[in-house]
């Protein structure tokens, strides 16, 4: 089948499904709405794999398909288009595969919700916006998709709008992303100002000739390429929840669990990573911007991992894990290993979606309870969920055998990032060594909090009773671990075995509509790294990417290097240490973690409160914004504008008019008397003027 037709169906299929379900969902009913949106997504996913196969093994060449003009103002030209290259081919399968599985999963998870047509319409709209983003041939369509996923995320995070916490989380995500998008828009303006175009095909060949162009401002000189790339990366920081602009991501858990999987695994948060890799021809000539990317990525990986160590909400642990893994991806891009960054994005989509949807299966089984302190001993009740989440845990911790190159997905992609960072340091960039050390340490933390989640949830004694499950908490405000604050840690040590007598409400596996996507994703978490590492980062990478990613002549971080044995095995050693510590704390010495948490040491409090970023932003930006709002409202609007307007000149005019109106009595003799007074006044003035 013609590739042009295939990509057209892939792009517009989700939009058609979203339109039908969104506009006619109540009329056609729940089941047709779900069937139409899911059907279009499954079709897009199948066709995406067809296109990806043609790209990988069939010799398909890059092309751009233009549909219609979009904006034309002078030299500013933009068109609706579909750009197919190595980057977009990878993102097609990532976005449509995860999104279609999330649609299928949602049939079971959202079965009791009354707004299924609206939910499935939002999911499909989200997918279309992401597809528009990844297929853009210029900055304008990229920005359209960028804002589209922001809008759709706002709608999905706040889907349960009757909950104040969901509304607050949706607004927070929207506002924080507006901060990043301001920098992104400035970066696009800088590119157009300096290179005269927003078309990628026109910009990239011009970069080398303009690499040293500078902008003089306030007595200082700024390299335009560094300035443009840094501003564009600010947009990526917001969209991909990097340090300083990360605060919206954990609160996005207020949306339904399928939303969390979609946002965190395949779509919105990966947009920033994709954008940096897409703009590799620019970043390769922007050394300062690349250093910013490395530092922010490394700090984000560390920050999120430390916070994930102590969270009790199962979804928040995985959310901070996403934030940390995104830091890895940016670290890779910052040291010039764009291919490794995209490879980790690809593998991460499978095991992170698997972990989120697996967590959703646990939550479903536990009557919407999300606090891991009320789990335990679930392996025998949820064998399929236990198995697939164990696969996801092995994949994210990167367990494998160096040398033999045998392991799950994360082993190939995460190790390639850490090794590339070390190679960057050897090549003369000290930040490469910094990224390497941070990457290894974060690998240890990742192993600890990932296995902590697995052991705390599925192993040990049950910290729940059958009576707990009789109460189906539809309002998940009561289900978040954070909402309970620092609940008595001794609760975590209360090992109440479920009573198996009589009629019991025991955890049970989710329906097959939820289990089948988990099984499919587990296959990707196992095999994606093994089957594709040669294509993405190995001997076949040049043929696979076909110029979609540019690396400078001095960039050899992914070349074959003879690494010291300790360096090569460092990620594995770190992962095993993290696993052993978690096993000791949560299996061998069950209850030790709760006792340590109960001591509320300074480091625990610091990590538990997320480095106090929310409090810091509340005390500075939020209060400052409220102060300015009150100042302009009470001082400017009420006192100045209203004081001079409705309460000032207008009020005086009203009172004068009201007083003058009293003179209009309607009696003729009153008017005659006034006329007589007027005549007397005129005669008096005339006599005075005559005599003078």
């Amino acid at each position: 089948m013609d590739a042009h037709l295939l990509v057209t169906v892939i792009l517009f299929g989700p939009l058609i499904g979203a339109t039908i379900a969104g506009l006619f969902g109540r009329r056609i009913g729940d089941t047709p709405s779900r069937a139409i949106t899911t059907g279009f997504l499954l079709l897009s996913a199948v066709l995406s794999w067809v296109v990806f196969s043609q790209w990988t093994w069939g010799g398909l060449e890059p092309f751009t398909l233009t549909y219609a003009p979009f904006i034309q103002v002078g030299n500013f030209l933009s068109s609706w288009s579909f750009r197919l290259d190595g980057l977009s081919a990878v993102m097609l399968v990532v976005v449509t595969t995860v999104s279609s599985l999330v649609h299928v999963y949602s049939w079971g998870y959202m079965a009791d919700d009354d707004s299924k047509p609206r939910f499935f319409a939002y999911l499909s709209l989200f997918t279309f916006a992401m597809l528009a983003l990844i297929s853009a041939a210029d900055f304008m369509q990229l920005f359209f998709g960028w804002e589209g996923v922001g809008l759709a995320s706002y709608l999905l995070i706040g889907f349960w709008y009757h909950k104040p916490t969901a509304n607050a989380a949706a607004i927070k995500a929207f506002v924080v992303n507006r901060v990043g998008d301001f920098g992104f828009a400035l970066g696009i303006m800088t590119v157009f100002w300096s290179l005269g175009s927003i078309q990628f095909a026109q910009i990239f060949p011009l970069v080398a000739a303009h690499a040293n162009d500078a902008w003089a401002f306030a007595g200082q000189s700024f390299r335009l390429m560094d300035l443009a790339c840094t501003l564009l990366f600010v947009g990526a920081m917001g969209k991909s929840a990097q340090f300083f602009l990360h605060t919206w991501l954990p609160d996005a858990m207020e949306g339904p669990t399928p939303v969390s999987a979609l946002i965190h695994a395949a779509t919105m948060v990966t947009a920033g990573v994709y954008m940096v890799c897409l703009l590799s021809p620019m970043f390769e000539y922007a050394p300062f911007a690349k250093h910013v990317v490395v530092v922010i990525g490394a700090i984000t990986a560390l920050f999120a991992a430390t916070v994930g160590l102590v969270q009790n909400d199962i979804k928040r642990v995985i959310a901070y894990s996403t934030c940390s893994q995104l830091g890895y991806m940016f670290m890779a891009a910052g040291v010039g290993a764009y291919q490794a960054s995209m490879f980790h994005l690809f593998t991460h989509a499978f095991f992170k979606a698997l972990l989120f949807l697996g967590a959703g299966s646990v939550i479903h089984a536990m009557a919407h309870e999300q606090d891991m302190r009320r789990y335990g001993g679930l392996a025998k009740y949820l064998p399929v969920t236990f198995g697939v989440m164990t696969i996801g845990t092995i994949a994210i911790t990167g367990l494998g055998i160096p040398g033999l190159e045998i392991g799950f997905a994360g082993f190939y992609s995460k190790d390639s990032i850490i090794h590339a960072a070390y190679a960057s340091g050897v090549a003369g960039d000290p930040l490469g060594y910094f990224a390497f050390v941070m990457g290894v340490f974060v690998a240890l933390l990742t192993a600890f909090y990932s296995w902590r989640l697995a052991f705390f949830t599925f192993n040990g004694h049950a910290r729940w009773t059958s009576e707990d499950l009789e109460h189906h908490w539809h309002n998940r405000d009561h289900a978040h671990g954070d909402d309970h604050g620092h609940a008595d840690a001794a609760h975590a040590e209360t090992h109440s075995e479920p009573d198996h007598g009589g009629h019991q409400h025991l955890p049970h596996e989710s329906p097959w509509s939820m289990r089948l996507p988990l099984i499919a994703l587990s296959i990707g978490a196992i095999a994606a790294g093994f089957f594709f590492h040669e294509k993405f980062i190995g001997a076949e990478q040049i043929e696979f990417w076909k110029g979609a990613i540019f690396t400078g002549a001095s960039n050899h971080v992914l070349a074959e290097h003879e690494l010291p044995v300790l360096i090569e095995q460092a990620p594995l050693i770190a992962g095993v240490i993290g696993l052993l510590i978690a096993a000791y704390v949560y299996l061998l010495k069950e209850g030790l973690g709760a006792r340590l948490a109960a001591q509320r040491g300074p480091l625990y409090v610091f990590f538990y409160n997320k480095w106090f970023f929310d409090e810091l932003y509340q005390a500075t930006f939020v209060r400052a914004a409220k102060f300015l709002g009150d100042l302009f409202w009470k001082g400017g609007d009420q006192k100045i504008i209203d004081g001079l307007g409705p309460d000032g000149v207008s009020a005086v005019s009203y009172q004068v008019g009201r007083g003058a109106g009293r003179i209009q009595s309607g009696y003729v003799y009153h008017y005659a008397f006034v006329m007589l007074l007027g005549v007397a006044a005129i005669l008096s003035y005339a006599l005075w003027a005559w005599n003078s």
Side-chain angles (χ1 to χ4, degrees):
M1 190 179 293
D2 180 55
H4 291 189
L5 177 60
L6 291 180
V7 297
T8 301
V9 175
I10 292 170
L11 176 61
F12 292 106
L15 178 61
I16 296 172
T19 302
I20 295 174
L23 296 180
F24 309 105
R26 290 188 179 275
R27 186 170 300 176
I28 64 178
D30 291 350
T31 301
S33 297
R34 291 185 292 175
I36 290 171
T37 52
T38 305
F40 274 113
L41 255 298
L42 288 171
L43 176 63
S44 292
V46 170
L47 296 183
S48 294
W49 278 103
V50 171
V51 172
F52 183 73
S53 300
Q54 291 179 356
W55 176 268
T56 307
W57 296 287
L60 184 64
E61 293 298 320
F63 65 83
T64 299
L65 183 61
T66 301
Y67 296 111
F70 183 24
I71 296 176
Q72 179 174 354
V73 180
N75 294 329
F76 189 92
L77 302 175
S78 178
S79 300
W80 291 110
S81 58
F82 194 111
R83 186 198 83 262
L84 183 72
D85 58 13
L87 287 167
S88 58
V90 170
M91 294 300 294
L92 280 180
V93 296
V94 168
V95 172
T96 58
T97 300
V98 174
S99 183
S100 61
L101 292 175
V102 166
H103 274 70
V104 174
Y105 180 92
S106 298
W107 277 65
Y109 193 88
M110 302 295 290
D112 297 329
D113 197 277
D114 295 331
S115 302
K116 288 185 279 292
R118 179 166 62 92
F119 180 76
F120 280 81
Y122 288 170
L123 286 183
S124 293
L125 177 64
F126 195 114
T127 307
F128 165 72
M130 191 66 191
L131 291 174
L133 187 159
I134 64 173
S135 63
D138 59 47
F139 273 111
M140 197 67 239
Q141 185 179 326
L142 179 70
F143 190 74
F144 168 82
W146 196 269
E147 295 304 301
V149 293
L151 170 64
S153 68
Y154 170 81
L155 297 173
L156 286 168
I157 294 169
F159 177 76
W160 286 321
Y161 55 84
H162 57 277
K163 292 174 53 180
T165 51
N167 289 328
I171 293 172
K172 186 175 184 179
F174 198 79
V175 171
V176 172
N177 273 276
R178 296 293 72 71
V179 176
D181 292 351
F182 179 68
F184 188 53
L186 289 178
I188 295 174
M189 296 175 194
T190 303
V191 171
F192 180 71
W193 171 51
S194 58
L195 300 179
S197 176
I198 60 168
Q199 304 287 329
F200 299 141
Q202 297 178 14
I203 292 171
F204 294 159
L206 300 175
V207 171
H210 294 269
N212 295 317
D213 290 357
W215 176 48
F217 177 75
Q220 301 293 323
S221 181
F222 303 92
R223 293 183 73 251
L224 279 174
M225 207 53 59
D226 274 320
L227 178 63
C229 290
T230 303
L231 289 171
L232 292 167
F233 177 64
V234 171
M237 289 173 62
K239 198 66 67 181
S240 297
Q242 293 300 283
F243 199 64
F244 296 123
L245 297 180
H246 64 275
T247 54
W248 68 269
L249 192 64
D251 291 350
M253 298 300 98
E254 289 292 340
T257 298
V259 173
S260 304
L262 190 61
I263 291 178
H264 289 69
T267 53
M268 182 170 173
V269 297
T270 60
V273 178
Y274 163 79
M275 186 265 290
V276 172
C277 294
L278 171 67
L279 302 182
S280 57
M282 296 173 57
F283 276 88
E284 282 293 275
Y285 290 96
F288 173 79
K290 287 179 67 177
H291 286 168
V292 172
V293 174
V294 171
V295 172
I296 294 295
I299 294 176
T300 302
L302 175 66
F303 157 76
T306 57
V307 176
L309 296 175
V310 295
Q311 298 301 305
N312 298 312
D313 186 312
I314 187 172
K315 286 174 63 178
R316 284 182 179 266
V317 174
I318 303 174
Y320 280 107
S321 170
T322 297
C323 196
S324 183
Q325 297 302 307
L326 289 166
Y328 269 111
M329 298 176 204
F330 280 113
M331 274 196 327
V335 299
Y338 308 101
Q339 300 90 333
S341 179
M342 287 299 299
F343 188 31
H344 197 50
L345 184 157
F346 179 74
T347 60
H348 175 264
F350 292 103
F351 57 71
K352 185 51 59 68
L354 176 61
L355 289 172
F356 262 119
L357 297 184
S361 182
V362 174
I363 294 168
H364 184 270
M366 295 299 290
H368 295 284
E369 175 61 76
Q370 294 181 202
D371 192 337
M372 294 189 298
R373 294 171 295 184
R374 295 178 174 85
Y375 290 169
L378 294 178
K380 61 182 178 181
Y381 299 103
L382 311 174
V384 175
T385 303
F386 169 63
V388 297
M389 288 198 73
T390 301
I391 291 172
T393 302
I394 295 173
I396 194 174
T397 55
L399 290 181
I401 305 175
L404 296 180
E405 301 302 316
I406 298 176
F408 285 9
F411 164 72
Y412 297 92
S413 57
K414 184 189 291 185
D415 281 21
S416 68
I417 292 174
I418 295 174
H419 294 158
Y422 180 81
S424 176
V426 172
D429 186 357
L431 282 179
Y433 290 126
F434 168 72
F436 169 77
V437 173
M438 294 289 277
V440 172
F441 182 58
V442 171
L444 188 153
L445 300 181
T446 301
F448 176 81
Y449 69 66
S450 298
W451 288 110
R452 170 182 178 262
L453 183 151
F455 296 151
F456 216 25
T457 300
F458 296 104
N459 302 108
H461 292 81
R463 298 178 295 277
W464 50 273
T465 65
S466 58
E467 288 76 14
D468 294 335
L469 303 182
E470 293 178 2
H471 304 286
H472 293 272
W473 296 324
H474 294 293
N475 185 347
R476 285 171 53 204
D477 285 340
H478 302 291
H480 284 292
D482 284 354
D483 291 343
H484 297 288
H486 292 283
D488 185 7
H491 174 82
E493 295 185 272
T494 304
H495 308 312
S496 301
E497 288 287 2
D499 180 9
H500 297 289
H503 298 286
Q504 301 298 320
H505 294 273
L506 299 176
H508 55 84
E509 279 288 6
S510 304
W512 278 106
S513 62
M514 296 171 64
R515 276 181 278 176
L516 288 176
L518 293 175
I519 295 171
L521 289 168
S522 66
I523 295 173
I526 293 172
F530 176 79
F531 280 105
F532 292 105
H533 74 279
E534 287 294 332
K535 298 288 185 182
F536 279 79
I537 59 174
E540 302 175 37
Q541 61 172 290
I542 295 178
E543 180 183 354
F544 178 81
W545 294 111
K546 297 177 184 177
I549 290 178
F550 173 79
T551 53
S554 60
N555 185 343
H556 303 292
V557 294
L558 280 181
E560 290 293 333
H561 298 285
E562 191 66 32
L563 297 175
V565 175
L566 183 60
I567 298 299
E568 185 177 4
Q569 297 183 352
L572 175 62
I573 294 172
V576 171
I577 292 174
L579 166 61
L580 294 177
I581 296 174
Y584 178 80
V585 174
Y586 294 101
L587 291 181
L588 297 180
K589 298 291 184 180
E590 189 178 355
L592 175 60
R595 291 192 293 272
L596 292 174
Q599 296 177 7
R600 292 178 54 83
L603 203 58
Y604 171 84
V605 173
F606 183 65
F607 291 160
Y608 187 88
N609 288 282
K610 301 158 285 189
W611 293 23
F612 293 99
F613 263 96
D614 285 328
E615 291 79 2
L616 176 64
Y617 286 176
Q618 177 71 25
T620 53
F621 300 117
V622 176
R623 289 185 179 177
K626 288 184 177 179
F627 172 77
L628 288 175
D630 287 342
L631 178 65
F632 287 120
W633 168 40
K634 296 179 179 179
D637 192 18
Q638 290 186 343
K639 292 185 178 180
I640 297 177
I641 297 175
D642 288 350
L644 293 177
D647 299 331
V649 176
S650 296
V652 172
S653 301
Y654 174 76
Q655 293 298 330
V656 171
R658 188 176 181 182
R662 292 175 180 173
I663 300 175
Q664 304 297 323
S665 64
Y667 294 107
V668 175
Y669 58 85
H670 285 170
Y671 299 154
F673 177 70
V674 172
M675 292 174 64
L676 181 61
L677 289 178
V679 170
I682 293 173
L683 290 175
S684 298
Y685 176 76
L687 290 173
W688 173 79
W690 177 271
N691 293 328
S692 62

